[in-house]
Amino acid sequence: MMIHGFGFLSLSASLVLPWALTGLVQEERITESLVKDVRQSSTVQEMPLPSRKLISAIPTATTYYVSGTGNDRNSGLTTSSAFRTIQRAADLTNPGDTVLIMNGVYTNKMKTGAVIEISRSGRANAWITYKAYPGDRPKLQHNGWHGVWIYNGASYIEVNGLEVVGNNRNITHAYALKEKYNTSNPLTNGNCISIDGRKNGHTHHIRILNNKTHDCGGGGIIAMGSDYVTVDNNEVFNNAWYSVFGCSGISLLNNWDYNNSKNYKMFVTRNKVYNNHMLVPWIENGKFQDGNGIIVDRSRKYEYRGRTLIANNISYNNGGSGIHTYQSNHVDIVNNTTFLNNQTPKSASGQIMSNYSDDIKVVNNILYSAPNKPINLNHKSTNVTFNYNLYNNNGFPVDAVGPNDIMANPLFMNASISDFRLKPKSQAINSGFRWNSLTTDVLGNPRVYGSASDRGAYEMQY
């Protein structure tokens, strides 16, 4: 089985954990207990926590305002003199600047363009921030290649609190199938948020926080050829339907080393990822084999040495895997809840899959699969740990079992309405492994609460 996660984004084709928000600047160091050897008793190794240096303010930084009722001839320096387009502000930004986006619907000017093209960089102590004005809910509606496009080596960028909506609702499945060989159609292949480090310099130090990205024919949130990327607390759904490139909800493709650190540098945390499906075959082989919730894809291309942390996510009802690694190394998949993924017919990749990968740790997760469908899968990977996970008993043999894995009903509060909190009698409560750097759960509640960590994304406060 070859499961890829392409989201080609050129015009011709297409956490955070609280401590991660303050410290993703240079050397990221963590304390982690690593459970080794899936069929033997666990051993514990400690490594230090990341730097928590605060990003200092820049005295000369400028705040620009953008509004759905603004005018690009305005100064953009007050709410009453706001710009009309986000691009007008983006073209003026310097290190340390903030763009506050007020209520309104923002669209792409050109049919093949983006709502925001970000090519100007901040600095390590002076990030450029694009965020919703306090209390407002701006919407970026696009039918081009990208809703937000970060490219040309742009770095030290934060995108926070935006809703990015693609073109899925404006086309039909029949139209998309007619376009299944067309690599140049943004109507079917457009992505919501693209971090594109493939040309004119690699992108690095990017934070994608608290956004809602949905209904894009391509990927929901994609980072390519990048490093030090944080994707935290986003809601990512109804993406990857119509692209010919085999996309997913959240995709880290071809991770690239900004420095020689072997510690955590890529973070996918606290996201809610669902209903990302592949409804058009991948142009490379004519198969329906992506539409994953979260995928770390082909990080071996640049021999990426940093670690990736995928933690506290809820991934459900996606076409492919809930969480997937393909040709990638050094990934820790910890305290996630995956539910009824593999929605695509004949998909057999399991709720969590390690595929042609190495040094993968799958710990403290809940994996709930449909009757007689694979629960997890370790396919031609090496140095893979599955341990302290909970699997539902669905009549299908578990592919990889650790000494502390259990098979039980997780007793979700109400899975029919996507409430994956745990009832008091769940065996997932107080039975997990203490992963020292995870101090909160998906809601920000303290982890650990009780005698041991809970399994899954929620740490119940019983």
Side-chain angles (χ1 to χ4, degrees):
M1 177 183 298
M2 302 284 287
I3 298 186
H4 310 287
F6 286 123
F8 293 101
L9 305 173
S10 67
L11 296 184
S12 63
S14 152
L15 171 180
V16 171
L17 308 173
W19 46 261
L21 284 175
T22 61
L24 299 180
V25 178
Q26 291 293 332
E27 189 81 358
E28 307 293 339
R29 302 184 63 81
I30 57 139
T31 297
E32 213 37 87
S33 302
L34 304 181
V35 185
K36 287 193 168 184
D37 196 342
V38 74
R39 298 194 182 276
Q40 299 179 19
S41 59
S42 62
T43 60
V44 176
Q45 299 178 349
E46 294 292 336
M47 303 191 318
L49 275 166
S51 164
R52 303 190 185 193
K53 293 183 293 183
L54 291 175
I55 299 169
S56 59
I58 302 300
T60 58
T62 301
T63 297
Y64 295 103
Y65 298 87
V66 182
S67 169
T69 59
N71 190 315
D72 279 358
R73 295 181 181 178
N74 290 339
S75 69
L77 298 176
T78 67
T79 56
S80 59
S81 62
F83 294 137
R84 175 62 183 93
T85 67
I86 309 170
Q87 192 62 51
R88 176 76 173 104
D91 292 340
L92 297 173
T93 53
N94 290 305
D97 288 352
T98 298
V99 178
L100 291 179
I101 305 165
M102 302 165 72
N103 282 332
V105 177
Y106 302 90
T107 59
N108 48 303
K109 273 189 175 181
M110 298 171 52
K111 290 183 178 179
T112 57
V115 181
I116 319 175
E117 295 186 10
I118 300 173
S119 59
R120 297 167 70 94
S121 291
R123 295 196 300 265
N125 67 338
W127 290 54
I128 297 174
T129 301
Y130 297 81
K131 66 187 301 184
Y133 184 84
D136 281 13
R137 297 181 179 179
K139 179 181 292 188
L140 282 61
Q141 175 76 60
H142 80 101
N143 60 3
W145 281 107
H146 323 274
V148 178
W149 186 22
I150 303 170
Y151 71 112
N152 276 1
S155 301
Y156 301 105
I157 302 294
E158 178 177 309
V159 177
N160 192 331
L162 307 181
E163 181 177 5
V164 184
V165 188
N167 196 50
N168 284 359
R169 297 177 182 178
N170 299 320
I171 61 177
T172 65
H173 187 207
Y175 171 80
L177 286 173
K178 289 180 182 179
E179 295 292 298
K180 66 181 180 180
Y181 300 115
N182 188 350
T183 60
S184 301
N185 188 349
L187 299 178
T188 54
N189 294 301
N191 303 280
C192 286
I193 297 179
S194 306
I195 305 162
D196 190 352
R198 295 174 302 157
K199 296 181 180 179
N200 302 325
H202 291 283
T203 46
H204 58 88
H205 292 89
I206 308 292
R207 298 192 296 234
I208 307 299
L209 314 175
N210 308 313
N211 303 284
K212 182 181 291 188
T213 61
H214 60 99
D215 290 284
C216 288
I221 299 172
I222 298 176
M224 298 186 299
S226 302
D227 199 12
Y228 286 102
V229 174
T230 293
V231 181
D232 177 71
N233 199 37
N234 301 279
E235 186 174 359
V236 183
F237 60 98
N238 293 354
N239 302 295
W241 290 2
Y242 299 140
S243 176
V244 304
F245 295 113
C247 298
S248 293
I250 298 174
S251 177
L252 305 180
L253 176 65
N254 298 341
N255 293 347
W256 159 85
D257 277 305
Y258 169 78
N259 57 21
N260 293 323
S261 172
K262 295 182 180 180
N263 298 299
Y264 283 144
K265 300 196 289 179
M266 306 291 277
F267 297 84
V268 180
T269 54
R270 300 196 305 146
N271 301 285
K272 187 177 181 181
V273 188
Y274 59 97
N275 202 33
N276 301 284
H277 291 261
M278 190 176 177
L279 304 179
V280 171
W282 185 32
I283 195 168
E284 289 287 323
N285 61 12
K287 295 182 180 180
F288 297 83
Q289 57 186 44
D290 276 273
N292 305 287
I294 299 167
I295 183 170
V296 183
D297 197 359
R298 297 192 175 192
S299 70
R300 288 179 179 171
K301 178 177 181 179
Y302 296 118
E303 298 182 354
Y304 187 69
R305 290 165 290 185
R307 295 200 77 84
T308 298
L309 178 64
I310 302 176
N312 287 335
N313 300 283
I314 301 171
S315 183
Y316 63 99
N317 292 347
N318 296 290
S321 300
I323 301 172
H324 193 105
T325 67
Y326 176 72
Q327 289 188 359
S328 297
N329 304 336
H330 320 309
V331 182
D332 297 335
I333 302 171
V334 186
N335 276 110
N336 302 280
T337 296
T338 57
F339 179 82
L340 294 185
N341 296 289
N342 288 174
Q343 293 284 321
T344 300
K346 298 183 180 180
S347 176
S349 53
Q351 301 302 301
I352 297 178
M353 180 178 184
S354 175
N355 194 9
Y356 291 97
S357 298
D358 180 74
D359 185 16
I360 308 297
K361 295 175 176 61
V362 184
V363 179
N364 282 354
N365 303 281
I366 293 176
L367 295 81
Y368 192 104
S369 201
N372 297 308
K373 293 203 74 170
I375 298 175
N376 67 357
L377 192 59
N378 177 17
H379 182 68
K380 296 187 177 180
S381 296
T382 53
N383 300 312
V384 176
T385 294
F386 282 81
N387 208 355
Y388 290 93
N389 302 293
L390 183 149
Y391 312 113
N392 69 310
N393 189 355
N394 72 337
F396 198 95
V398 179
D399 186 63
V401 180
N404 300 289
D405 287 341
I406 59 176
M407 185 167 286
N409 184 337
L411 296 181
F412 293 128
M413 199 71 74
N414 191 347
S416 66
I417 59 172
S418 306
D419 184 351
F420 299 109
R421 293 175 300 159
L422 304 171
K423 294 180 180 179
K425 293 185 178 181
S426 171
Q427 293 185 50
I429 294 176
N430 292 335
S431 65
F433 183 79
R434 182 183 289 269
W435 196 269
N436 289 335
S437 64
L438 286 187
T439 59
T440 60
D441 72 351
V442 64
L443 297 178
N445 291 323
R447 188 190 294 276
V448 175
Y449 185 91
S451 60
S453 175
D454 296 349
R455 307 181 192 213
Y458 290 96
E459 181 76 13
M460 302 309 298
Q461 307 297 295
Y462 297 130

